[in-house]
Amino acid sequence: MEDALQGYFVTPPDRSLSIYSFDFDRDPARMDAHAWIFNTADDVQLDGFRARGGKLLFAHGLADPIFSADEMVDYYQRLQRQHGASTSDFARLFLIPGMSHCQGGAATD
């Protein structure tokens, strides 16, 4: 997680940044500079994506120590509210018990 904080979530990247010295008064503003790349969770329209025949498969480990599966469930439920029954035509959510962040964990090793 610290690698992601140092290299992806602050501008400019800062390899000296430690999760143990995170400054809640200063560092969130540094993270906001990249927010447009990472904060896509508000977009549930996906009109252009759907028009081109796009398909989304979400696989989220329930043992992910970085991102909560609850956030993924919330996003999928917002997709369902926006698109109704047609959501499953282009998007599916799979929650994987025991899987960590993207791989590994008791169920997938």
Side-chain angles (χ1 to χ4, degrees):
M1 178 163 165
E2 191 163 82
D3 284 346
L5 177 63
Q6 294 171 343
Y8 299 108
F9 296 123
V10 293
T11 302
D14 182 354
R15 289 293 171 200
S16 69
L17 187 60
S18 168
I19 59 174
Y20 301 108
S21 63
F22 189 84
D23 183 333
F24 283 91
D25 293 322
R26 176 184 56 112
D27 292 328
R30 296 171 66 195
M31 295 172 75
D32 284 344
H34 276 155
W36 65 274
I37 296 171
F38 298 107
N39 294 350
T40 58
D42 293 333
D43 183 5
V44 292
Q45 294 294 327
L46 306 179
D47 295 331
F49 180 80
R50 290 185 69 196
R52 290 186 301 277
K55 306 286 184 189
L56 286 169
L57 291 177
F58 299 108
H60 200 292
L62 292 173
D64 187 333
I66 299 172
F67 299 104
S68 169
D70 291 340
E71 295 175 66
M72 188 70 254
V73 169
D74 174 68
Y75 180 76
Y76 195 76
Q77 288 173 340
R78 286 185 286 126
L79 275 178
Q80 289 176 316
R81 283 193 296 275
Q82 178 68 33
H83 300 283
S86 70
T87 304
S88 63
D89 293 340
F90 74 95
R92 303 277 176 90
L93 170 60
F94 299 94
L95 299 174
I96 304 164
M99 188 174 89
S100 188
H101 185 71
C102 298
Q103 64 179 0
T108 55
D109 279 349

